Amino acid sequence: MARGYVSLVLGLAVCLGLHSLEAQDEINTDRPDLSSTVVPKGRLQVENGLAWTSDNGGATLDGIETVIRLGLITSGELRVGLPDYYGYWEHNATLGFTDFLLSWKQQFTRDSASFQLSVAPGLSLPTGSHGRTSGGIDPQLGVAWSKSIDSRWSTSGVQYAYYATGSGRHFLQGETVIAIERDLNRTTKAYIEYQGYYGHFGSAEMIELGASYKKGPNRQWDFLFGMGVDRGTAEVSVGAGFSFRMAGIWKRTRASRSDP
């Protein structure tokens, strides 16, 4: 099953990456965090990433992190998070595929509004490898917002809640993300953000710096560097990603949500 997922990701990357992408608005991704907007109706977007983390003598490699987003209605999208290969090396290596994620994201504000808000409920399904799967069906909820400050500066945040399985029981986990972003030019954006994790399975805090670069309206590269700010947090984390989207999956019959 895991090899099948990898083949699907590679097949999409080849087929869609070679497709002629024609869209007037620009790509907006959920990398590195859940965004407050959805993929336009009739478009398919594929977001991929790879991350490496050093943690108190150990090292983690996580990837390919792939999320497929399909705009089904003007204000909502279907999201599929494919299992990614996760490896942790310390004294003994722990390798395997993570669980499958199925979710929906609903946007509640117009694209033209200075304040954006969306909600994304989902389910994590126990399809992963032994030692990497939770072994249960785990519900989760993400609430994302963003606010334009001026033509270059903006702020955003995400609040996650997870019911993660452990020892046959569900435990509540939380994650808070707050970011400040600045457009450096038409194609490049930089950000700094705070990430806080807490709950039954422990807590951690990180500061992350990152940037994204858009190659045309439908392709984006992103890069990140994170550092833990409390004992027990991952010491250093680096990552990179590539996202693209395809227009014209089916004909759109109405204008964007910015129209009255």
Side-chain angles (χ1 to χ4, degrees):
M1 180 179 291
R3 291 180 180 176
Y5 289 134
V6 175
S7 298
L8 175 60
V9 174
L10 295 178
L12 283 169
V14 172
C15 295
L16 301 182
L18 297 176
H19 187 86
S20 175
L21 302 177
E22 297 180 356
Q24 294 182 352
D25 55 294
E26 295 186 347
I27 186 172
N28 187 24
T29 72
D30 280 353
R31 292 190 50 82
D33 300 305
L34 188 71
S35 69
S36 56
T37 58
V38 299
V39 172
K41 181 180 178 181
R43 295 184 188 165
L44 179 68
Q45 188 161 304
V46 182
E47 303 177 5
N48 310 282
L50 186 69
W52 177 87
T53 303
S54 171
D55 183 9
N56 297 324
T60 300
L61 181 65
D62 192 9
I64 300 172
E65 306 165 324
T66 297
V67 177
I68 300 173
R69 305 168 59 189
L70 177 61
L72 293 182
I73 60 176
T74 55
S75 60
E77 67 179 37
L78 178 66
R79 302 164 50 81
V80 178
L82 300 184
D84 60 278
Y85 195 69
Y86 182 95
Y88 180 75
W89 290 267
E90 193 174 16
H91 301 296
N92 297 309
T94 303
L95 307 173
F97 283 86
T98 59
D99 288 339
F100 182 92
L101 178 64
L102 183 65
S103 63
W104 175 268
K105 182 160 71 167
Q106 184 69 40
Q107 182 177 334
F108 294 101
T109 50
R110 293 183 175 183
D111 290 337
S112 59
S114 62
F115 177 78
Q116 300 286 350
L117 177 67
S118 66
V119 174
L123 289 174
S124 175
L125 307 178
T127 60
S129 307
H130 178 71
R132 296 267 56 91
T133 179
S134 71
I137 298 176
D138 301 335
Q140 66 177 51
L141 178 66
V143 179
W145 60 270
S146 63
K147 178 70 172 69
S148 296
I149 300 174
D150 57 28
S151 60
R152 287 186 175 269
W153 290 91
S154 62
T155 183
S156 62
V158 185
Q159 180 62 54
Y160 289 103
Y162 311 88
Y163 268 107
T165 301
S167 302
R169 298 173 55 194
H170 279 97
F171 298 93
L172 181 62
Q173 292 286 115
E175 177 183 351
T176 300
V177 179
I178 299 175
I180 298 176
E181 305 162 352
R182 188 179 191 276
D183 292 334
L184 302 181
N185 51 47
R186 290 188 64 257
T187 61
T188 307
K189 175 184 293 186
Y191 69 88
I192 180 172
E193 73 175 26
Y194 163 84
Q195 300 176 357
Y197 308 86
Y198 42 87
H200 175 80
F201 299 101
S203 61
E205 294 180 292
M206 291 191 70
I207 296 295
E208 185 175 285
L209 301 173
S212 62
Y213 169 72
K214 293 179 181 179
K215 181 65 174 178
N218 295 287
R219 296 178 178 89
Q220 175 184 287
W221 292 92
D222 64 81
F223 310 90
L224 62 88
F225 172 82
M227 180 173 293
V229 294
D230 67 341
R231 179 172 296 182
T233 302
E235 297 173 351
V236 175
S237 179
V238 294
F242 174 66
S243 305
F244 60 90
R245 73 177 179 182
M246 177 179 176
I249 302 299
W250 61 81
K251 292 183 179 180
R252 289 171 293 163
T253 58
R254 59 170 294 183
S256 71
R257 292 179 304 280
S258 61
D259 294 338

